[in-house]
Amino acid sequence: ACTVTLVGAANLAQLAEDALGRKSGSTAAILNEIAPCFVPAADGNNLHTDAVVLACTHYPLLLDRLIALAPWPVAWIDPAPAIARRVVDLLGPNTNDAHDISPEMIFTSGHTHASADVLAPFFGGRVPA
C-alpha cells in the first residue's frame, strides 16, 4: 500500500562531485534536483514522501545538505551497504583474515588525485597514491 515515484536527478552526481572537490554547489541547484522527490498529500492527510533512496553512490556525499534542504523529514536510504553486499556476492566470501586491515584508497594512475585530501577521512587518513 505505497506509491513509488521515480525521480531523475540528472545533475545531482555532478553537484556531489563538485562538493567533493570543495566547490560549493549551488543550494538552489541541489534543491531543484531533489524537489520532485517530495510529493505532498493531495487529500490533506499524512500520505506524503516518507523515504528517498539515494540511488547513486555519489549522493550520500551531499547528505547533510539534502537533509537541510528537505521540506520535511524523510528517511534517506544510502545504497552503499547494498552495493557492498552485492560486491561480496560477486567476489565470494573473504578467505583470509583481513579483519585488522584498515581501509585504504589506491590510485592506479600514478598521480595523486585532486580529491585525495577530501576522501582521506573516509579511509582512516590512509591514502597511498
Side-chain angles (χ1 to χ4, degrees):
C2 68
T3 301
V4 175
T5 303
L6 299 177
V7 175
N11 300 309
L12 197 55
Q14 183 60 55
L15 291 165
E17 285 187 8
D18 290 348
L20 188 60
R22 297 187 181 169
K23 296 178 192 172
S24 179
S26 161
T27 296
I30 295 170
L31 186 57
N32 186 54
E33 292 293 306
I34 68 167
C37 296
F38 293 91
V39 180
D43 59 1
N45 64 23
N46 291 329
L47 298 176
H48 63 278
T49 302
D50 59 357
V52 175
V53 177
L54 301 173
C56 173
T57 55
H58 286 59
Y59 298 167
L61 298 170
L62 293 173
L63 187 56
D64 290 345
R65 294 184 73 187
L66 298 175
I67 291 168
L69 293 170
W72 57 78
V74 297
W76 296 93
I77 301 171
D78 183 346
I83 292 167
R85 285 190 302 274
R86 181 63 181 140
V87 168
V88 169
D89 287 344
L90 292 171
L91 297 177
N94 185 358
T95 57
N96 61 25
D97 190 18
H99 298 293
D100 296 329
I101 298 172
S102 29
E104 61 185 317
M105 184 172 34
I106 300 171
F107 300 103
T108 60
S109 68
H111 303 288
T112 302
H113 192 277
S115 300
D117 291 338
V118 177
L119 290 171
F122 297 103
F123 292 89
R126 200 170 161 196
V127 187

